[in-house]
Amino acid sequence: MSATIIEIVDITKVYGMGDISVAALNGVSMKIEAGEFVAIMGPSGSGKSTLMHILGCLSQPSSGQYILDGEDVSNLDKAELAAVRNRKLGFIFQAYNLLARTSALRNVTLPLLYNHADAKVSVEEGDQKAHAMLELVGLGDRIHHQPHELSGGQQQRVAIARALINDPIMVIADEPTGNLDSRSGEEIMNLLHTLHRQGTTIVMVTHDPKIAAHTQRTITLKDGVIDEITHNGKHVGRNTIPLHSQWEGAA
């Protein structure tokens, strides 16, 4: 039986106060198991970005419980969340978020500078690992190229290598193909499938049903609650949402 990476129980997120308060999330509960590839979808204002920020330890819930890899992170302060984030999570962003005028290798090694959980990695060790990550994503011959010398798809590959450098327990991908043409987007999705087959747990936020269909499970939000979950084309109503994945061990 695979381990539970994410368990959230009755999570709410309220912005503002009193009469002007808005509930972006209103009692969301779910689990994600190790090795799953899950999409989070929803229209603008559905709460998907808010949920991603909470899952990514970028913000705290207003109430409810969030257990990440067995650790309750619900009430951690910003510094504690940052430490958990860098130690356990990798991020892939729509806009790549690479440093300009900085080589692919140096962009990939950046998270190592902020990882204080383990023994300090030497520059040489970090470079070797970054080179290996770039080889993994097919850019072993582009390690000295700066972002402006790379295509959009190649920049996203650098971002994926950077997300993997600290051996995260989970990768969170926010619209990873949103800035790419269809061919480059397909290449990135193929790469994510390869990583998933190798055991990487991936949570992907997207507005595109075709991209979400690549995953094992799609969690659709509407008005701050889970509206439905799709398992391989089978829809589950909000009153019968299973908390455990039906895809345990799937490739």
Side-chain angles (χ1 to χ4, degrees):
M1 183 175 181
S2 59
T4 299
I5 294 294
I6 284 175
E7 180 176 7
I8 60 173
V9 181
D10 203 23
I11 287 289
T12 70
K13 183 66 175 181
V14 179
Y15 295 101
M17 296 181 64
D19 293 339
I20 60 171
S21 65
V22 175
L25 295 175
N26 190 15
V28 174
S29 298
M30 66 182 216
K31 288 185 179 181
I32 293 175
E33 309 293 335
E36 276 200 284
F37 191 177
V38 177
I40 297 175
M41 277 192 65
S44 178
S46 63
K48 68 180 186 295
S49 294
T50 300
L51 179 58
M52 182 200 72
H53 278 81
I54 291 174
L55 296 181
C57 293
L58 294 164
S59 68
Q60 294 175 313
S62 299
S63 65
Q65 188 175 36
Y66 176 22
I67 298 173
L68 173 63
D69 192 32
E71 178 182 0
D72 191 337
V73 299
S74 312
N75 299 307
L76 299 184
D77 61 29
K78 288 183 178 180
E80 291 168 331
L81 285 175
V84 170
R85 195 166 61 238
N86 199 65
R87 189 172 74 249
K88 294 191 174 185
L89 303 175
F91 290 88
I92 305 167
F93 301 98
Q94 177 177 348
Y96 323 134
N97 289 8
L98 301 179
L99 294 180
R101 298 182 297 280
T102 304
S103 70
L105 189 75
R106 286 288 158 258
N107 268 288
V108 174
T109 59
L110 191 62
L112 296 175
L113 301 177
Y114 300 100
N115 189 349
H116 306 298
D118 304 314
K120 191 70 174 177
V121 176
S122 70
V123 172
E124 183 177 306
E125 291 169 332
D127 286 356
Q128 289 176 348
K129 188 169 186 181
H131 196 169
M133 292 298 100
L134 287 165
E135 289 277 5
L136 179 67
V137 301
L139 290 179
D141 59 344
R142 297 287 192 274
I143 65 172
H144 299 302
H145 285 59
Q146 297 179 10
H148 72 273
E149 299 172 308
L150 301 171
S151 69
Q154 289 172 333
Q155 290 183 61
Q156 192 61 294
R157 287 173 179 268
V158 174
I160 291 171
R162 180 185 59 194
L164 298 172
I165 191 70
N166 273 337
D167 302 315
I169 60 166
M170 179 175 68
V171 169
I172 297 179
D174 182 16
E175 301 281 5
T177 63
N179 281 0
L180 302 175
D181 58 43
S182 58
R183 180 178 178 180
S184 297
E186 184 177 346
E187 290 175 353
I188 292 302
M189 290 310 303
N190 287 338
L191 177 55
L192 292 179
H193 278 297
T194 298
L195 295 174
H196 173 236
R197 285 194 296 270
Q198 294 173 352
T200 304
T201 305
I202 304 172
V203 176
M204 179 175 65
V205 177
T206 182
H207 70 281
D208 188 341
K210 292 181 180 178
I211 295 298
H214 280 264
T215 68
Q216 296 171 321
R217 188 159 59 115
T218 301
I219 300 169
T220 303
L221 298 183
K222 182 179 180 181
D223 298 328
V225 299
I226 294 178
D227 187 54
E228 65 177 2
I229 292 183
T230 305
H231 292 268
N232 194 26
K234 297 179 181 179
H235 295 271
V236 182
R238 72 172 68 183
N239 294 325
T240 56
I241 293 171
L243 289 180
H244 291 283
S245 168
Q246 298 176 2
W247 283 82
E248 237 169 62

